[in-house]
Amino acid sequence: MEINNIWDNFLNKVKNNLAPMLFEAWFAETKLIALNDNKATVLVPMIIHKKHLKDNYDTLIETIFNEVTGSNFIFEYFTEEEIEKIKDENNFISENKNTELFKSNLNKNYLFENFVVGDSNKFAKTTAIAVAEKPGITYNPLFIYSNSGLGKTHLMHAIGNYIVQNSNKKVLYVTSEQFVNDFIELYRKNKNENNFNEVEKFKRKYRDIDVLMIDDIQYLEIANKTQQEFFNTFNELHTNNKQIIISSDRSPDDLKQLEDRLRTRFTWGLMVDIMPPDFELRLSIISKKIEGHGLNNTFPQEVKEYIASNCIGDIRKLEGAITRVVAYATMMSGSDITLNLAIEALKDYFGNCFNTKNNIEQVQHLVANSYNITIDDLKGKRRIISVAVPRQIAMYISRTVYNEPLAKIGLLFGGRDHTTVIHSVEKIKKELINNINLEKEINKIINNLK
Ligand code: ADP
Ligand code: MG
């Protein structure tokens, strides 16, 4: 029988046993809203009904209800308001339960699909995909490092999202700061009371998972006690073939404050670095971002190139430049985006773009500007003096001012051999002995370096 029918039957019988006035006052507006196990939940119009029904009609209600249903129920009365409140609380509890049960912290916007590749990040993306396809099997741990703003966090989330979409594995992404905070919190609570539950909770969060990603591990350097805990966590996960993915602004070798045993473990799997994007990649990232904003037709190629050639070494800054130009155009009551507008919008901005360690590109940029040639000229093969000499100067500065490795200089100058770099540097050194003008020119460039 449906509960509405049950209640109608019940009310009819009550009606026969009560004066009409009493029935109207206490029963007419009641409603049975749930019937489970041995509990009957009844909705009443006002709060006074609750007490009155209980105090005066308890036996009558139970007897008649038993006649209708054939079994005994305990009655509970609620007003509309109370029911709403319980509903809210229940929702609240179940939402909270879910988040407490499992929260992977993944950002759904960072995907492989929107991670643009070029020479500088191709290897990192490929290995990331390999790990995403077979977590815990191929490369464990995966250690990704680079300067800031080059896509480490993006790649980690992309791996996580892929795994979550294609399996039922549990993924947890945290920054190392979050790990440290969780650990400190646990430590603090444990000092006061021996809180077994908290320890269990911490362990479950970090060990009862299939993939653990810790972003910016360098912040663990300053937290000695936490390193110990991380070591334990790492070992347990690794032993159980759970995937660990770590990112850092430096290679494990350069995380000098980290315990040796941790650094060693980081090198067990695969280490990949992401280099600063070259001009081409910067340009394709800009195009992709613009596409994403639906601004394809309003963004002239020369503006893209202007941003790509001035904003080097940090993709976050590239995004910032686009936002600025768009905001500026909007501010100028929606005028077209032109090169002049972009120059105006970004006039104080590009200084920001240099604050990475991408020394060689910075040198190339300044040298190209002072000799009125392009960065492509510097990387290219042309041997005419107006290009070849600035190229040698740029290599010379990269080597003598920043002590950049010969191989890296060669690579960033169009893939030249390191002997070519040595040759160029020596040539400029020799020339400088007698050429005061050249010395002045070079010093001017060096002074402009940050
Ligand atoms: P990191 O963690 O190395 O500091 P992020 O992953 O936070 O860098 O990247 C900074 C910004 O640049 C993010 O908005 C990210 O989406 C974007 N980004 C980085 N690399 C790429 C790429 N190859 N393609 C598209 N966007 C990228
Ligand atoms: Mg990051």
Side-chain angles (χ1 to χ4, degrees), residues 205-417:
K205 174 169 177 186
Y206 286 104
R207 300 188 188 184
D208 195 7
I209 50 178
D210 301 295
V211 181
L212 175 63
M213 302 196 265
I214 306 245
D215 205 355
D216 290 324
I217 197 85
Q218 68 269 14
Y219 297 116
L220 212 61
E221 280 192 317
I222 45 175
N224 284 334
K225 279 229 164 65
T226 321
Q227 284 187 29
Q228 163 77 39
E229 178 55 37
F230 183 67
F231 180 74
N232 297 337
T233 306
F234 184 101
N235 285 342
E236 167 136 355
L237 290 171
H238 198 269
T239 309
N240 292 315
N241 293 325
K242 306 298 188 188
Q243 180 71 46
I244 301 157
I245 302 165
I246 297 163
S247 86
S248 166
D249 67 347
R250 272 159 281 160
S251 77
D253 275 347
D254 290 330
L255 291 165
K256 301 257 188 267
Q257 311 291 325
L258 222 52
E259 288 181 25
D260 283 346
R261 52 185 190 163
L262 263 181
R263 282 198 283 154
T264 317
R265 272 163 177 72
F266 291 166
T267 63
W268 279 357
L270 185 71
M271 292 178 285
V272 289
D273 63 341
I274 306 178
M275 296 291 284
D278 56 19
F279 177 79
E280 230 184 326
L281 177 56
R282 295 198 297 269
L283 201 59
S284 27
I285 290 174
I286 292 171
S287 297
K288 182 98 183 174
K289 304 276 169 193
I290 287 168
E291 222 174 88
H293 286 104
L295 293 168
N296 244 356
N297 300 328
T298 51
F299 232 92
Q301 183 66 17
E302 55 177 0
V303 174
K304 294 183 197 168
E305 284 175 7
Y306 176 68
I307 296 175
S309 47
N310 284 286
C311 205
I312 61 180
D314 185 337
I315 293 165
R316 200 174 285 122
K317 301 274 163 57
L318 266 189
E319 292 176 337
I322 297 170
T323 312
R324 249 177 191 242
V325 171
V326 175
Y328 198 81
T330 316
M331 229 166 56
M332 306 301 284
S333 52
S335 44
D336 283 350
I337 295 172
T338 60
L339 184 57
N340 279 339
L341 179 135
I343 291 172
E344 185 61 27
L346 297 170
K347 68 175 188 291
D348 303 319
Y349 186 78
F350 288 138
N352 281 328
C353 301
F354 291 122
N355 65 1
T356 68
K357 297 179 204 126
N358 189 357
N359 302 323
I360 297 177
E361 282 217 26
Q362 194 186 341
V363 171
Q364 289 175 331
H365 180 80
L366 288 174
V367 170
N369 271 0
S370 33
Y371 291 95
N372 252 329
I373 57 174
T374 66
I375 290 177
D376 279 347
D377 286 333
L378 289 177
K379 295 182 177 179
K381 301 270 180 267
R382 288 201 298 158
R383 286 168 175 231
I384 48 166
I385 287 188
S386 61
V387 170
V389 173
R391 187 185 294 138
Q392 288 162 350
I393 291 173
M395 291 191 206
Y396 167 86
I397 296 175
S398 304
R399 181 66 182 163
T400 53
V401 175
Y402 291 116
N403 202 17
E404 291 284 1
L406 294 167
K408 185 174 168 193
I409 299 176
L411 189 75
L412 293 181
F413 278 84
R416 291 181 152 78
D417 193 77

Side-chain angles (χ1 to χ4, degrees), residues 110 114-117 121 146-155 215-216 247 274 281 285 288-289 314-316 319:
Y110 289 155
N114 57 15
F115 189 87
V116 186
V117 275
N121 61 14
S146 78
N147 285 347
S148 149
L150 298 186
K152 299 181 292 295
T153 300
H154 187 135
L155 268 187
D215 205 355
D216 290 324
S247 86
I274 306 178
L281 177 56
I285 290 174
K288 182 98 183 174
K289 304 276 169 193
D314 185 337
I315 293 165
R316 200 174 285 122
E319 292 176 337

